[in-house]
Structures are given as structure tokens and as C-alpha cells.
Amino acid sequence: MSRVIAFCFLLLASVLAYLHIDSLPAWAPFASDYPVNIANQADDALEPTEGRRPLMPLKNTAPVKMAQPTLQMDWLPDTGAPSVHAASLITLKDGAVRAFWFAGSREGAPDVVINTAVFDPRASRWSATTVVMDRVSAEKGLSRYIAKLGNPVPVRMADGRMQLFFVTVSIGGWAGSSISSVISDDEGLTWDRPQRLISSPLINLSTLVKSPALAFTDGRLGLPAYHEWIGRFGEFLRIDASRVIDKRRMSSGRSAIQPVVFTDGPQVASAFFRQTRSSSQLKQIPVSETKDAGQSWVVSKDLEIPNPNSAIAALTLANGTRLMVLNNIEAGRYRLVMVMRKANSEQWQVVQVLEDDESLINDQHREFSYPYLISANGEDAHLAYTWDRKKIRHIYFSAAWFKDAISILKEKESE
């Protein structure tokens, strides 16, 4: 009976949302992050670094040693919390990188806080950690009971300010979540009062966020979100400051959450999902596509890369090269790799094995999960991910590292 009542509420909310569509501002095209044509011209002259190991076929799970040239690895600051998770990153105006993550006694505990720290690339050093939000501050700012928080996702607004989306839960588990946000005028040093995003006119529950937002040419944001109550599916929220002005379904059923989006032009994009399928279904990456800048999405053929019900990170470099960091196994999260697809190619290949506990027995497997990728200049990449729920690993991939990898991809294709 409870499912029937919940379904009726969702149906009514969908009808009201549909009737509201005519009053919404017209959809704008996706904004382009990088001048791809210029970068591609520069990339033609790249040469491989001597001594780099050859690339692996995508589904080959044999361990590979990390590439040595210019890979820099460190840890986000340790605050002494027993459990840390869900790190995210954003580039600051001075070239530094600010990280966010949640920490506490365990995921979902009342003592969980959202932390932040800044990485200075010149000194290769992290600043001291400060707390952006805790449960009590969220309660005070939102004027409602908050049981737990999680999943911070930063974004650069069109006016240059920084906005941080995060998940709050007032009742139940993560399926009872809603999204809130805070805005900073000073690159994350201070924040305004949190505001709750209203994504449904009736039951504003079960909307979560994990992945980076996209920019539209009109200055608004497209925020990939997901739903976990009754169904498990992706949603695309159209955001104006702290207001949801529209949302569109990206997938259906109970099998695809936490979408990451690659844009292919002003109107075209593809969303890759974390699969949450039943045991009898394929454990690989679900895909949806849009040809109208996110107004409608159509389920497409799976990307044939294994996915063990684990989050994916995605990034496009200035030269059109695409990257993902993921667990390319069907069960567990003990192996984490970076895969690359060269511009104008359809083939994904493993270019770096980041973590691999395959040689250990099952009860010794650690968890490497929730990766997040950004680029500071379109040619490099910063990666953060959860390391066994105890630490957050940060890895910097320089422009030289990617030039080397792209050159080897070209050599491999010409063989």
C-alpha cells in the first residue's frame, strides 16, 4: 500500500511539473569548455616520453606499474576522522585546487562534516583543513532537522562565484535525501546561508548529487543528479543560482544512478551511469544520450566496460581526449584504473592502473572508489578518490604525462 501511495504522489508531481514547463525560460545550448580545434593542432606534434610502458587492452586485468614521469601523488589532509569519502575538486582563480570531502565516525553518522582544503601546485602542499558545513550548521541555516550530510560537489557560477552543492537527509537513509547549496564570494573562504533546492512541488525527497555540473550558454547550470526512492534513475536539473527551474529524466527503472556527462556539441551529450542492476543483468556501464541540450534523454547501448555498482569520474581535455576513472571489474571496488579515448576515436583503453588488490584474498581487498576528475588548464588533470574509506588520495597528471599517453595511443593504432 505504501508503494501505491508513493507512486500516486510521484505521478501527481510529474503532472504538475509537466503543466509548469510552458512557463519556463527557453533551453540554451551547452557551453564549450575548451577550443578543441586549436588544441588538436598542437597535439599533432607530440612525441612519446622514452621508457613509457605500452597501453593495456581495456578488459585486461593484469597489474601494470604506474607510469613514472611527472605523476605526483599525495593525500588530502588527515583530520583524524575514522571514515572519509566522496571527495570533489574545483580549480581556483589563482591556479590552486580546492578539495571537499565528508568525514566522520562512519558514513551517515551525525558527526559527519564537510571539509575543505586547498592544494598549492607550486609548493605541492595542502593547506590546513577547515569545515564548510556540519549537521548543526545545516539545521540552523535550512531551518529544518538534518540527520546527516554528504556528497559535496563544487561548481563555478557564470558570475565567477563558487557554489557548493551537498546532500542532506532529514529522515531515513540516502533515499530520503534532498540537495542544498551554499555560495562563496571569496573562493571558498566564507559561505552564505545554505538553501535547499526544490526539485519537486510535492515530495522534495530522494534527489542526490555526485557529479560535476555543466554550463549552458545563458549562464545557467545543468546538474546531473539521481533518484533512489522507489526507482533508481538519473535526473538532469536545470539550475538558476539556488533554484531548480526544470528537471528531466535521464534514465528509468532501478538500474542507473550517479550520471557523468560528456558533451559532444551545443546540443549533443552522452551520460554514463553507475549501474545498480539485479544480479542477472549485465554489470557494465549504462548510457543515455541527448540531442537537445538535455531537454530529453534516450537510453542507448551500454558501454562495454565492467562496472561493479560503483561511481565513475569523467573529464574531457582541451584536445578532445576523454578520460574516465572507474572500477573495471564486475564485483568489488578493489581495482581502480584510468581509461582514455583519443579524440575522434571510439576505443577506450586503460592507460594507468591506479590501485589493484586482485592478488589479495577477498577479505583483504580494500575499497578504492568515488573518483573525481578536474583539469586546471585543459591539458592536465587532478584526481581524488576514496582510499579504503580511511584516506583520500590525490594524483596529479601533468600535461607532459598526457602528451606521452596520447602519442602511445597513436602509435598503437598505427601498428
Side-chain angles (χ1 to χ4, degrees):
M1 178 61 70
S2 61
R3 285 181 175 268
V4 174
I5 295 173
F7 176 78
C8 291
F9 271 114
L10 287 176
L11 181 61
L12 179 57
S14 299
V15 171
L16 291 175
Y18 177 80
L19 294 175
H20 184 59
I21 286 175
D22 288 341
S23 64
L24 299 175
W27 278 71
F30 294 124
S32 177
D33 288 334
Y34 303 117
V36 175
N37 55 335
I38 297 175
N40 280 337
Q41 293 171 7
D43 182 55
D44 289 340
L46 301 178
E47 295 181 1
T49 301
E50 186 177 353
R52 174 69 181 262
R53 292 178 179 271
L55 300 175
M56 297 165 48
L58 182 59
K59 294 187 178 181
N60 186 338
T61 57
V64 169
K65 292 183 179 179
M66 291 211 178
Q68 295 302 314
T70 65
L71 253 189
Q72 301 173 27
M73 295 179 286
D74 55 34
W75 305 99
L76 268 62
D78 185 359
T79 62
S83 177
V84 294
H85 195 38
S88 56
L89 305 166
I90 190 169
T91 304
L92 303 183
K93 294 175 182 177
D94 64 358
V97 172
R98 183 176 287 279
F100 300 88
W101 70 99
F102 72 74
S105 56
R106 57 175 174 79
E107 179 179 340
D111 64 355
V112 165
V113 300
I114 295 176
N115 287 328
T116 187
V118 175
F119 179 74
D120 181 348
R122 292 174 292 274
S124 296
R125 185 172 60 241
W126 287 93
S127 71
T129 301
T130 58
V131 174
V132 176
M133 187 67 58
D134 58 23
R135 187 177 62 85
V136 175
S137 299
E139 281 186 344
K140 183 178 179 180
L142 297 169
S143 300
R144 60 195 305 266
Y145 172 70
I146 300 297
K148 55 188 176 184
L149 354 131
N151 288 18
V153 174
V155 65
R156 181 70 61 187
M157 301 173 71
D159 60 10
R161 293 181 297 168
M162 185 187 300
Q163 186 169 16
L164 180 69
F165 298 101
F166 59 97
V167 172
T168 60
V169 177
S170 294
I171 186 170
W174 292 121
S177 298
S178 59
I179 302 173
S180 297
S181 80
V182 287
I183 295 175
S184 174
D185 295 319
D186 54 14
E187 295 293 85
L189 297 176
T190 61
W191 302 87
D192 69 356
R193 184 186 181 95
Q195 296 187 54
R196 188 181 183 210
L197 273 63
I198 306 301
S199 60
S200 170
L202 290 179
I203 306 175
N204 191 42
L205 293 176
S206 195
T207 307
L208 299 91
V209 66
K210 162 65 179 75
S211 307
L214 289 75
F216 290 109
T217 55
D218 63 1
R220 295 184 174 94
L221 296 172
L223 183 64
Y226 59 103
H227 191 93
E228 284 197 8
W229 184 42
I230 302 179
R232 293 177 181 170
F233 50 83
E235 295 183 315
F236 194 59
L237 307 184
R238 192 173 171 215
I239 307 290
D240 189 351
S242 298
R243 187 169 63 98
V244 178
I245 60 174
D246 204 346
K247 72 172 181 178
R248 301 299 171 98
R249 183 76 67 89
M250 301 177 75
S251 60
S252 59
R254 296 181 54 82
S255 63
I257 61 172
Q258 296 180 348
V260 295
V261 178
F262 285 113
T263 57
D264 295 296
Q267 299 289 332
V268 181
S270 299
F272 295 171
F273 297 84
R274 165 184 171 178
Q275 67 81 20
T276 56
R277 293 167 171 165
S278 64
S279 59
S280 62
Q281 294 179 298
L282 290 173
K283 302 300 183 289
Q284 54 192 25
I285 297 174
V287 180
S288 290
E289 297 176 342
T290 180
K291 295 184 179 179
D292 52 16
Q295 295 182 71
S296 62
W297 296 81
V298 177
V299 175
S300 182
K301 181 183 177 182
D302 282 359
L303 181 65
E304 295 181 359
I305 297 178
N307 179 262
N309 190 354
S310 188
I312 300 165
L315 179 67
T316 302
L317 299 179
N319 58 17
T321 299
R322 291 187 170 179
L323 309 169
M324 289 195 294
V325 174
L326 45 81
N327 306 98
N328 65 336
I329 46 180
E330 293 189 356
R333 298 178 180 178
Y334 58 83
R335 176 181 167 87
L336 191 72
V337 302
M338 174 180 282
V339 299
M340 176 185 290
R341 198 188 88 180
K342 193 168 68 71
N344 304 318
S345 171
E346 294 299 320
Q347 184 179 11
W348 291 92
Q349 297 195 56
V350 174
V351 291
Q352 189 69 53
V353 175
L354 302 162
E355 305 283 356
D356 193 354
D357 276 359
E358 185 177 19
S359 62
L360 303 178
I361 59 176
N362 286 340
D363 62 356
Q364 293 181 352
H365 284 169
R366 293 165 294 188
E367 175 187 332
F368 312 113
S369 62
Y370 265 54
Y372 201 97
L373 278 168
I374 66 164
S375 178
N377 57 23
E379 297 179 350
D380 63 0
H382 290 266
L383 167 68
Y385 60 89
T386 297
W387 196 93
D388 203 32
R389 299 280 178 139
K390 299 181 179 71
K391 301 178 182 179
I392 303 292
R393 169 79 85 178
H394 167 245
I395 302 180
Y396 176 66
F397 299 83
S398 68
W401 193 94
F402 284 118
K403 287 179 180 179
D404 184 27
I406 293 168
S407 295
I408 293 177
L409 277 177
K410 289 181 178 180
E411 289 181 356
K412 191 174 183 66
E413 289 175 356
S414 64
E415 291 177 357

